[in-house]
Amino acid sequence: MNLHRTPIPVTEAVERVMHFAPQSSIEKITIDESYQRVLAEDIVSTHAVPPFNKSPYDGFAFNAEDVAEASRENPVRLHVIEEVGAGHRASRALETGEAVRIMTGAEIPEGATCVAMFEICQTLEENGNSYMTIKRKMEDGQNVISKGSETSKGTTLVKAGETINPGVQALLATFGYHEVHVYKKPVVGVFATGTELLDVDEPLQPGKIRNSNAYMILSQIERSGAEPVYLGKLADEFDPCYEAIFKAMQQVDIVITTGGVSVGDYDLMPDVYEKLGAKVLFNKIAMRPGSVTTVAEVDGQLLFGLSGNPSACYVGYELYAHPYIQAYLKRSDSYHSIIDVSLGSDIMKPNPFTRFIRGFISYEDGRVVVYPAGLDKSAVVTSLAHTNVLIVLKGGTRGYQKGDQVQAVLLEEESGSEEFLLNG
Ligand SMILES: Nc1nc2c(c(=O)[nH]1)N[C@H]1C(S)=C(S)[C@@H](COP(=O)(O)OP(=O)(O)OC[C@H]3O[C@@H](n4cnc5c(N)ncnc54)[C@H](O)[C@@H]3O)O[C@H]1N2
Ligand code: MOO
Ligand SMILES: [Mg+2]
């Protein structure tokens, strides 16, 4: 085994992965299944909104000219000829001196140019007829939401590559898209390697631990919007490992493994990549944790070899597998957003490598402050539970103090960034 590995910068590793922009395919699904899927077509208004002139209030619709002389001293009375609720239409056009009682959302009848709210009108009944009076003048168009004032037919409102959020769902429904084209979710297979691994329902045994990484990665994949498939545990034995991974590559779009990527006697992934004829994009990154994260490629298909150490595995997934999955989904904002934040506590121990400290966000006096979520070691699992950001501490000879400005990678933000905005 070649023990010497040359670390590359994080941004370069990300670039090498993203260079393999995958072939994505498109499927048609119903609106009910479309939440959080990525659009493969533009959403274009199929009609004007609103599709007719409508009333924003419960009140009376009439021609503003009819009340041009109205004032406190000179109330004007109009004959109320009918009532129109939302979903109904007036039976005929209004004539001079007439009004209709109209409800919010109902179509403005022909002949009416404005709506006066009930609150500023009086009503009376006389000889079986209904009347309303008003003591002020109205303008043409006052309290009328005119046809097409929000959008006209043929306007592109949401672009392919955007994710369907609740608002986009409202648009799909508004414009009759009961089916919509979206990018297929890549199927991502996950293997956990390690002879020490127990299943979740097994009792603890000496020298062994339960396989936590697989469950963690499966939900990270789901959070990224892809389709996770658990392919099981693999003991540290070369032939079964190779066979299983070779077979999985025919069945899934992306293969993720955890464990076995370092230089130990039972770290088999480097040999598996070799036998697969894979091109290793990198196997050492200038970062902590996750420095051993390895990505390999066979005929355009990527294998992500994440570290076995839980924190390293988690970070490796978010920095490299997440954006690649977004690219697979053809999302325009493939990268996790990275923002400037203030550090909430001292992290004094210097480290030559850029660190991605698992942390959480706190909003204090209108500022975004981040805190470490627990122990900062590659082998740690407990700090992951309260992690929603990766606090970026650039490598160097000094530590960091509370109040220092640093970057944070946002892990739970629905919208991402079109660029990977890591400094340096
Ligand atoms: N001589 C060197 N030793 C190590 C180096 C190095 O550069 N030279 N790198 C260290 C770093 S950094 C890391 S990170 C780890 C990476 O180890 P591997 O990716 O090879 O992973 P394993 O050896 O299989 O396991 C490491 C650790 O993680 C536990 N583990 C594995 N799978 C799971 C799982 N599914 N769920 C929970 N925990 C898991 C495993 O039991 C080990 O404790 O290597 C260092 N060594
Ligand atoms: O890959 Mo290791 O996590 O850098 O600690
Ligand atoms: Mg190892």
Side-chain angles (χ1 to χ4, degrees):
M1 166 161 329
N2 181 6
L3 292 179
H4 185 73
R5 296 183 180 183
T6 313
I8 61 166
V10 173
T11 44
E12 188 179 334
V14 170
E15 268 169 33
R16 287 191 192 179
V17 168
M18 296 303 269
H19 175 72
F20 285 92
Q23 278 291 327
S24 312
S25 44
I26 291 170
E27 63 182 336
K28 195 152 99 179
I29 57 167
T30 67
I31 184 173
D32 318 68
E33 308 159 313
S34 71
Y35 179 50
Q36 290 192 323
R37 299 297 300 271
V38 182
L39 284 168
E41 62 178 310
D42 293 346
I43 301 306
V44 179
S45 53
T46 52
H47 57 71
V49 178
F52 47 82
N53 294 333
K54 76 173 178 183
S55 175
Y57 295 126
D58 304 311
F60 293 98
F62 48 83
N63 189 330
E65 267 181 32
D66 288 356
V67 302
E69 303 303 324
S71 66
R72 200 177 289 223
E73 299 72 37
N74 180 35
V76 171
R77 184 204 274 205
L78 301 174
H79 180 201
V80 180
I81 57 162
E82 62 181 312
E83 181 192 302
V84 191
H88 295 275
R89 308 184 79 198
S91 58
R92 65 169 175 81
L94 289 190
E95 289 175 9
T96 306
E98 291 180 338
V100 298
R101 235 180 126 77
I102 193 163
M103 304 306 140
T104 304
E107 183 177 6
I108 307 283
E110 234 180 277
T113 65
C114 66
V115 172
M117 293 163 80
F118 284 147
E119 290 88 330
I120 65 160
C121 302
Q122 290 75 47
T123 56
L124 69 145
E125 297 288 316
E126 216 175 76
N127 304 326
N129 287 321
S130 299
Y131 296 91
M132 53 129 327
T133 56
I134 184 164
K135 294 178 180 168
R136 62 175 88 161
K137 6 185 238 185
M138 299 283 295
E139 304 287 331
D140 276 344
Q142 193 173 342
N143 297 338
V144 171
I145 307 178
S146 52
K147 176 179 174 175
S149 58
E150 185 179 332
T151 193
S152 53
K153 182 178 173 174
T155 310
T156 300
L157 297 167
V158 191
K159 289 231 168 80
E162 291 190 54
T163 303
I164 299 177
N165 62 20
V168 175
Q169 286 226 319
L171 294 187
L172 294 175
T174 298
F175 297 110
Y177 285 80
H178 73 282
E179 290 181 316
V180 62
H181 288 97
V182 294
Y183 288 106
K184 263 195 183 154
K185 294 182 186 186
V187 178
V188 188
V190 176
F191 285 114
T193 73
T195 301
E196 74 278 29
L197 300 177
L198 298 168
D199 282 328
V200 180
D201 56 358
E202 287 187 88
L204 214 51
Q205 293 167 30
K208 306 225 170 193
I209 57 163
R210 292 194 188 93
N211 164 21
S212 58
N213 288 353
Y215 296 91
M216 177 180 81
I217 303 169
L218 291 169
S219 49
Q220 286 177 291
I221 292 168
E222 209 169 317
R223 182 162 73 180
S224 296
E227 183 89 42
V229 179
Y230 182 38
L231 301 171
K233 287 184 295 151
L234 297 171
D236 296 317
E237 294 159 25
F238 186 80
D239 289 332
C241 260
Y242 170 78
E243 296 297 336
I245 291 170
F246 179 80
K247 205 169 125 214
M249 288 173 64
Q250 330 303 316
Q251 291 163 352
V252 299
D253 298 309
I254 301 167
V255 176
I256 296 185
T257 57
T258 160
V261 281
S262 185
V263 293
D265 294 348
Y266 299 96
D267 289 336
L268 302 173
M269 295 312 298
D271 294 340
V272 169
Y273 298 138
E274 195 177 326
K275 185 160 177 188
L276 287 170
K279 176 178 172 237
V280 173
L281 307 186
F282 51 81
N283 59 12
K284 193 85 182 170
I285 310 159
M287 63 183 269
R288 279 273 143 75
S291 61
V292 295
T293 308
T294 302
V295 179
E297 174 256 334
V298 185
D299 296 332
Q301 187 176 17
L302 294 195
L303 297 120
F304 290 82
L306 304 179
S307 164
N309 273 327
S311 285
C313 180
Y314 185 96
V315 170
Y317 174 90
E318 296 298 343
L319 290 182
Y320 307 104
H322 173 83
Y324 182 70
I325 286 173
Q326 305 315 296
Y328 222 114
L329 288 164
K330 286 276 183 281
R331 274 186 66 151
S332 40
D333 52 352
S334 295
Y335 302 96
H336 279 310
S337 296
I338 299 180
I339 60 166
D340 294 331
V341 293
S342 172
L343 195 57
S345 55
D346 293 348
I347 305 179
M348 293 312 289
K349 204 168 159 241
N351 195 302
F353 284 112
T354 298
R355 275 184 294 170
F356 293 85
I357 311 256
R358 283 71 62 213
F360 62 87
I361 274 193
S362 163
Y363 300 96
E364 294 168 13
D365 304 326
R367 285 180 323 129
V368 183
V369 182
V370 290
Y371 292 88
L375 282 176
D376 178 50
K377 286 275 187 307
S378 177
V380 160
V381 66
T382 48
S383 56
L384 297 173
H386 298 112
T387 291
N388 57 25
V389 295
L390 301 176
I391 306 168
V392 186
L393 299 186
K394 292 195 66 186
T397 49
R398 67 172 190 95
Y400 286 80
Q401 281 179 320
K402 177 184 162 108
D404 281 354
Q405 282 294 112
V406 293
Q407 288 191 302
V409 182
L410 305 183
L411 302 177
E412 292 183 349
E413 188 68 17
E414 267 188 27
S415 55
S417 165
E418 291 187 13
E419 285 171 80
F420 185 58
L421 294 170
L422 194 76
N423 288 340

